[in-house]
Each structure stands twice: as structure tokens, then as C-alpha cells.
Amino acid sequence: MIGMTYSEALFGVLALWLVFLSVLWLRELQRIKRHEWHLSNGRLFHCDICHHSFISKEQVSLTRCPRCNSICIRRKRRSTFPSN
Ligand SMILES: [Zn+2]
């Protein structure tokens, strides 16, 4: 038999649970940081056909509207948001 009292065993289980939760929390922080969206004026598009505004995943000047599939061109405008 292991020479351990009930309180020591309970403390050990709680310590292991705390380590497990910390590892999961750090993994979640890394996942959020990896898939984080950055709003910038270069990624914001507005479809002239269906008036749908959307954000593209990459900073491109030409993309397709996710609603009506028409080609949207980003026109150079005065910047209202700080661009990244
Ligand atoms: Zn559209």
C-alpha cells in the first residue's frame, strides 16, 4: 500500500488537474492568437451588386463576394481606419 493519506492524495489529484487545465488554457490562447482576425481597411470589401460588406482573409485587391459571387475590387479611399 502506498504510504499516502487521503488529504495528500486529494491534493495530488487537484494539483494534476490544475496542471491539466493550465495546459489546455495555454493551448487555447495559442489557438486564438493563430486564428485572430485583424481588421484593416485593406481587407474590408463592399459589393456594389448586393451591397454586402465582408472581410477577406488575405489582403488582396480583388476577390469574390461570398453572397452573390461577383468580383469585388477594392478601391483606394481615404483611410478611416489605421491600416496594418
Ligand atoms: Zn455581392
Side-chain angles (χ1 to χ4, degrees), residues 2-53:
I2 302 173
M4 185 183 290
T5 64
Y6 181 73
S7 63
E8 289 173 345
L10 185 62
F11 178 76
V13 168
L14 287 177
L16 286 176
W17 185 246
L18 189 63
V19 168
F20 178 68
L21 287 178
S22 299
V23 168
L24 288 180
W25 182 55
L26 290 175
R27 282 187 59 200
E28 181 68 16
L29 286 179
Q30 287 178 348
R31 191 189 67 84
I32 287 173
K33 192 171 186 177
R34 192 172 47 235
H35 297 289
E36 190 175 17
W37 283 85
H38 298 285
L39 181 61
S40 68
N41 216 14
R43 294 182 180 184
L44 181 64
F45 283 88
H46 180 77
C47 180
D48 293 331
I49 307 294
C50 68
H51 302 288
H52 179 66
S53 295

Side-chain angles (χ1 to χ4, degrees), residues 47 50 52 65 67-68 70:
C47 180
C50 68
H52 179 66
C65 174
R67 183 182 281 174
C68 68
S70 67

